[in-house]
Amino acid sequence: MESSIALFNQLKAADPFFLLAGPNVIESEDHILYMAKKIKDITSKLGLPLVFKSSFDKANRTSSKSFRGPGMSDGLKILERVKTTFDIPIVTDVHESIQCEAVGKVADIIQIPAFLCRQTDLLVAAAKTGRIINIKKGQFCAPSVMANSAEKIRMAGNENVMVCERGTMFGYNDLIVDPRNLEWLREANCPVVADITHSLQQPAGRKLEGGGVASGGLRELIPCIARTAVAVGVDGIFMEVHDNPLNAPVDGPTQWPLRHLEELLEELIAIARVSKGKQHFQIDLTPFSS
């Protein structure tokens, strides 16, 4: 618990923001180690606190035939190697309460998927690990709902919670990002993270040859959403990054190319430093007189 509190305080104090980043899913140990080294090199150069992200199991894939990852046992071993090799904290997601104890022994941040953001038993099980909990806002939820989800973590005895915006359903196959949510999420009284990649998914919006559908995405708009988020003054940025997005087995259309990561982060840092997004604007409504 003490290490979680220390990391949580470090992330809250990040200037101008912290970064949760990595490939969507563990493809192999060699690939994860390669990505972790490259991303750490970039963030260390830029002075950004990094928490490395990847999933051991994508349990909510559109198709049962899709790649899911190596599974919890092998996946956690790989993530633990990343953690010890590069001395960086880890964030990964859980889908069932029974996974939380094992994941909490490796991950520094346990992520609750957006589809599961209201699942009380899962939230409580994750909270009881003592790890930091990052709750993604459901695509179907108003931002006010996240105050309740965060409170479930606290009621279970864990104050180390953050909430994450990842878009809102707009029809059947699209998401939009309402910048107002980035402000309203502060009502949860905890750090606010912007997921700048998943928020540009087009769920089940891509038809496959031979039948079936998969999620598409608008990768070209990732900088647009990212610039907005840091200008508003979020505490952290979540993004999925890949060295070869066109061949990524999961969410390729919304993974940011590794070759452009440093360039984008440099721009976001510059925007965040000149913005006053983290300061509450005091509006004076008394009659104006020159």
Side-chain angles (χ1 to χ4, degrees):
M1 178 69 84
E2 289 183 5
S3 62
S4 294
I5 294 173
L7 176 60
F8 190 59
N9 288 335
Q10 177 192 354
L11 297 179
K12 286 195 299 182
D15 181 22
F17 54 84
F18 60 85
L19 182 69
L20 313 181
N24 180 285
V25 66
I26 298 171
E27 299 172 31
S28 70
E29 182 171 327
D30 287 345
H31 182 251
I32 285 295
L33 290 171
Y34 171 81
M35 292 296 297
K37 182 180 186 306
K38 292 296 184 181
I39 295 173
K40 182 182 178 181
D41 287 347
I42 291 169
T43 55
S44 296
K45 177 181 177 181
L46 298 177
L48 287 179
L50 169 68
V51 182
F52 183 77
K53 184 272 170 186
S54 199
S55 299
F56 55 79
D57 180 20
K58 304 304 294 185
N60 55 357
R61 294 301 310 278
T62 305
S63 170
S64 61
K65 299 176 183 178
S66 299
F67 178 74
R68 288 180 54 169
M72 185 171 73
S73 179
D74 290 343
L76 289 178
K77 290 176 184 176
I78 293 171
L79 291 175
E80 188 166 29
R81 185 169 178 197
V82 169
K83 184 174 181 175
T84 56
T85 301
F86 300 109
D87 190 28
I88 49 178
I90 297 294
V91 55
T92 196
D93 40 359
V94 293
H95 293 86
E96 301 178 79
S97 300
I98 198 172
Q99 297 174 329
C100 293
E101 183 177 359
V103 172
K105 292 178 180 178
V106 175
D108 301 274
I109 301 178
I110 295 178
Q111 185 161 280
I112 305 298
F115 287 139
L116 303 174
C117 68
R118 292 170 46 173
Q119 296 297 108
T120 302
D121 290 346
L122 179 61
L123 291 167
V124 170
K128 287 184 175 178
T129 65
R131 294 302 191 178
I132 300 168
I133 311 301
N134 183 36
I135 313 172
K136 288 199 168 183
K137 181 183 76 66
Q139 303 91 323
F140 47 87
C141 288
S144 57
V145 170
M146 299 309 290
N148 290 346
S149 294
E151 189 61 19
K152 291 178 182 180
I153 301 296
R154 297 186 184 102
M155 290 292 290
N158 187 343
E159 296 291 327
N160 306 317
V161 60
M162 55 182 67
V163 293
C164 180
E165 167 65 28
R166 60 95 73 223
T168 303
M169 288 303 300
F170 188 65
Y172 290 113
N173 304 119
D174 205 1
L175 297 168
I176 58 170
V177 177
D178 183 348
R180 297 176 300 176
N181 287 350
L182 300 172
E183 184 67 28
W184 288 333
L185 281 172
R186 295 196 180 280
E187 294 175 8
N189 195 29
C190 64
V192 173
V193 180
D195 181 341
I196 63 171
T197 48
H198 282 113
S199 57
L200 286 160
Q201 277 183 337
Q202 294 183 306
R206 183 162 53 102
K207 291 186 177 180
L208 301 176
E209 293 184 15
V213 294
S215 291
L218 301 169
R219 179 177 19 251
E220 67 275 12
L221 294 180
I222 289 173
C224 170
I225 300 302
R227 292 166 184 145
T228 302
V230 296
V232 170
V234 295
D235 301 287
I237 292 290
F238 176 103
M239 63 187 303
E240 292 186 334
V241 181
H242 203 282
D243 58 322
N244 188 5
L246 293 180
N247 288 316
V250 183
D251 283 352
T254 53
Q255 296 206 61
W256 186 247
L258 176 63
R259 71 173 68 249
H260 294 306
L261 178 61
E262 183 173 348
E263 178 185 4
L264 178 59
L265 290 176
E266 284 179 337
E267 180 184 348
L268 298 182
I269 290 170
I271 293 171
R273 293 209 184 281
V274 299
S275 168
K276 296 182 179 180
K278 290 187 178 181
Q279 301 177 26
H280 184 69
F281 201 102
Q282 298 296 326
I283 302 175
D284 185 353
L285 294 178
T286 58
F288 176 77
S289 61
S290 57

